[in-house]
Amino acid sequence: MQELMTEADPLTFYGATLRSRLLLGTARYPSPAILADAIRASGCEIVTVSLRREAGGSRAGESFWGLIRDLGARVLPNTAGCRTAKEAIATAQMAREVFETDWIKLEVIGEEDTLQPDVFGLVEAAKALVADGFKVFPYTTDDLVVAEKLLDAGCKVLMPWAAPIGSGRGVNNTFALRALRAHFPETPLVVDAGLGAPSHAVTVMEMGYDAVLLNTAVSRAGDPVAMARAFGLAAEAGRLAFRAKPMTPRDMAEPSTPVIGRPFEDML
Ligand SMILES: CC(=O)[C@@H](O)[C@H](O)COP(=O)(O)O
């Protein structure tokens, strides 16, 4: 089924075609072995890695890097922990050296309680990084105007939040996420952060989002490997449901039992 879906419904980021619609973070797992098993169980093909946490040159960094390489997952380095555009740009440049990729998940955090992106710094850093040849995946809010500025800056993928990082709340603002999807039908949109349960992933995938990125809901689950699998299936189920065009909800009942002599809708 996976292969059929890929042919009929490919997901493309900056020219790279993917089968899985789940991206996973790699932080705060109970052990490297559980992280590796979770990635395998999920089927995800892209993992995001913080340069700050996984310093490539250190011994721990080397073994972590080896583990990711053995899994065959593509690395999307991130600028987690950066508070200014300048810091994020410098971190992205180091990540390009360490991880040998021009992909960067751009985070510029502007507020401590919510870890909300500083959207001004984000746009500034995105412009500079695109000009420097990076393929930028900006972690942003669900604001339409900011999304427009990021696209103008040259980003070809957007990653709006569902809720604050690590909160596990699911979608805080359904209207805003729907509006974003409707405004940018051709742009790959990935919901990143705040998803707490597979049902949250299904919800955004059913809205037409292209993929989901998450970390805490898997790494802090009682059984991260099983939860990773559940999220992989949820992303796929939500996508299938979106493509199958869900029915429109009604206020009143409508009998679902076939009427005698008219077993199918298109038979008169
Ligand atoms: C790992 C990573 O990139 C996080 O910054 C990301 O935003 C995930 O957030 P959750 O931990 O809420 O899933």
Side-chain angles (χ1 to χ4, degrees), residues 168-188:
R169 292 174 51 82
V171 179
N172 259 355
N173 190 339
T174 303
F175 169 80
L177 282 188
R178 282 196 194 284
L180 212 51
R181 180 67 286 178
H183 259 71
F184 305 107
E186 305 302 333
T187 303

Side-chain angles (χ1 to χ4, degrees), residues 25 48 78 105 107 139 164-167 192-195 213-216:
T48 179
N78 66 57
K105 180 186 157 189
E107 286 188 32
Y139 164 61
I165 294 171
S167 68
D192 172 11
L195 301 178
L213 188 158
L214 54 113
N215 191 146
T216 312

